Amino acid sequence: MKLRTTARLGVIGCVLSSAAIAEGHLDPLGPEDLAPLAQEEGTVTVYSFTSRIGRVEEAFEEAYPGIDLQGFDISSTEQIARLRAEAQAGVTNADVIYISDTPVVLTELLETGIIAPYVPPRVADRVPEIYQSPLLAQRLSTKVLMYNEEANPDGAPLSNLWELTTDDWRGRVVMVDPLQRGDYLDLMTEIVLRSDEMAAAYEAQFGSPIDLEDAATAGEKFIADLFANDLILVGSTDDVNVAVGALGQDNPPVGFTSYSDRRDNEEEGWALQVANGVEPAPGIIFPAVLALASEPNNPAAARLVIDFLMGDETETGGPGLAPFYVAGDYVTRTDIPPHPDAVPLDDFTAWRIAPAETATIRAEIGDLILTLQ
């Protein structure tokens, strides 16, 4: 139920006409000023690429009574398709977009004006500029090679990505279909972009320079060899986690998944761990970004949600950031200490993607994978 408009809201409302809101004049306001406006709006819709939005929804509604946060757990690939379709129909359903797969987001959503950037002024001086533009990154997420540490108590069972193409790992590597989930296609694309490193890793593993045969690059050769080695494609990250991490396995597979899913080891009965020492890298690390719809239906509440998702003034960011302050996620605020159970970011060997560069060949890599399936 909406709260009554307070006297303070009346004062703010006199200053902020609907035209001013549309022009972005809400942007300089902090949460204490946005809250009464948001409570008058009464609702806010968030598209989120992570199911953790459910926890955010509960915490946000407790912090701001009278605002109904409607969170929808939708993969980045599905979000992009839905937002494009809604824009073509002239419809705005989401106020806030929480999404990864930035190579496509930047070109298909931001550059086309479907979404708009917003950085809460409260935290602007505590987020490096690289994570503010062109969109605000709340945290860095991952798609990396993981193994079962119960079955391998001495560490990862391999030290080089090229081992995944050998008989020892035939039919024992699992990942989500890259043509169904953009983050995994970004991973495959990065492997191609890092072909010089892949070529060096090949020689280190096999003792001779790589023979590309029909492949154009070492990265493409790796992808072809990986698929030819009976790579197992599944429908979701949780499918990878169960296959790799389930306790009680004698000879479990390895797989590419999210490092942060280690947070569920105890609850789910998994033993997931990252293969951080694998050469040349275990996978990719990339931004999870927050954006506004270009014309949100609830502009004050939308900004308030983004502010909330960036964490409060407590040491670890409070309830808004709690679902993401876990080992394997790296929050971008400089005043929040790294999670103590994670590999420190400076020691984490995953490749940092450059979204604009990824976008240049991403479609070609998708075409390659289509021919291999």
Side-chain angles (χ1 to χ4, degrees):
M1 183 177 65
K2 291 184 180 180
L3 298 181
R4 290 183 178 274
T5 305
T6 63
R8 185 183 185 192
L9 176 57
V11 172
I12 296 174
C14 291
V15 178
L16 293 170
S17 66
S18 59
I21 291 173
E23 293 169 5
H25 291 188
L26 285 174
D27 290 0
L29 300 185
E32 68 283 353
D33 296 317
L34 289 171
L37 288 169
Q39 287 167 331
E40 177 65 12
E41 292 168 349
T43 187
V44 62
T45 300
V46 180
Y47 286 176
S48 167
F49 79 110
T50 170
S51 61
R52 285 178 270 182
I53 192 62
R55 291 178 57 193
V56 174
E57 180 176 341
E58 182 178 349
F60 180 83
E61 291 178 352
E62 183 176 347
Y64 297 106
I67 309 173
D68 178 19
L69 192 159
Q70 300 178 11
F72 293 88
D73 176 13
I74 308 172
S75 75
S76 294
T77 302
E78 293 170 348
Q79 277 193 60
I80 292 164
R82 180 176 296 196
L83 289 164
R84 288 172 58 192
E86 291 171 353
Q88 290 170 0
V91 173
T92 299
N93 288 328
D95 298 298
V96 175
I97 293 86
Y98 185 26
I99 195 167
S100 60
D101 202 4
T102 47
V104 180
V105 169
L106 298 182
T107 55
E108 297 195 19
L109 299 183
L110 182 63
E111 292 178 7
T112 58
I114 295 174
I115 63 174
Y118 175 67
V119 179
R122 181 179 61 85
V123 298
D125 63 345
R126 291 172 278 172
V127 177
E129 179 60 32
I130 191 174
Y131 298 133
Q132 295 192 36
S133 179
L135 291 172
L136 175 66
Q138 181 223 29
R139 61 185 169 99
L140 304 180
S141 187
T142 62
K143 286 292 176 282
V144 289
L145 190 66
M146 302 280 279
Y147 69 96
N148 187 308
E149 62 181 344
E150 179 194 47
N152 300 278
D154 296 327
L158 70 162
S159 60
N160 191 306
L161 285 181
W162 284 98
E163 293 180 54
L164 301 178
T165 67
T166 66
D167 286 341
D168 287 346
W169 291 98
R170 181 173 298 277
R172 296 179 55 224
V173 183
V174 189
M175 69 180 297
V176 175
D177 184 349
L179 299 184
Q180 301 301 318
R181 289 287 297 273
D183 296 343
Y184 291 87
L185 182 54
D186 293 344
L187 168 62
M188 296 291 101
T189 302
E190 192 67 21
I191 287 172
V192 175
L193 290 171
R194 303 284 183 156
S195 284
D196 288 348
E197 294 176 55
M198 292 300 295
Y202 179 96
E203 187 166 357
Q205 177 63 33
F206 298 115
S208 60
I210 189 170
D211 180 358
L212 294 179
E213 298 176 350
D214 296 329
T217 65
E220 291 181 30
K221 168 71 170 168
F222 172 81
I223 293 171
D225 288 357
L226 184 65
F227 273 80
N229 208 36
D230 298 337
L231 174 67
I232 299 172
L233 297 179
V234 295
S236 73
T237 294
D238 276 349
D239 292 335
V240 181
N241 295 341
V242 171
V244 173
L247 297 172
Q249 300 188 73
D250 292 329
N251 195 27
V254 295
F256 292 97
T257 182
S258 301
Y259 178 23
S260 61
D261 284 348
R262 285 194 73 239
R263 71 186 185 275
D264 294 328
N265 273 355
E266 184 174 350
E267 180 178 344
E268 299 291 344
W270 298 338
L272 293 168
Q273 183 56 277
V274 63
N276 192 51
V278 73
E279 295 290 342
I284 58 172
I285 185 167
F286 52 88
V289 297
L290 290 163
L292 297 169
S294 59
E295 295 182 3
N297 295 317
N298 303 287
R303 287 161 172 80
L304 191 62
V305 167
I306 292 179
D307 182 280
F308 187 74
L309 279 163
M310 291 304 295
D312 64 18
E313 300 305 312
T314 60
E315 183 179 8
T316 58
L321 203 54
F324 313 102
Y325 188 72
V326 298
D329 278 332
Y330 297 89
V331 299
T332 57
R333 274 181 50 182
T334 56
D335 59 325
I336 293 179
H339 194 282
D341 296 332
V343 175
L345 188 57
D346 289 344
D347 298 330
F348 193 46
T349 59
W351 290 312
R352 276 65 166 171
I353 73 165
E357 188 175 359
T358 303
T360 62
I361 66 165
R362 191 177 187 272
E364 297 173 29
I365 305 308
D367 291 341
L368 168 65
I369 290 172
L370 185 61
T371 68
L372 298 173
Q373 292 187 1

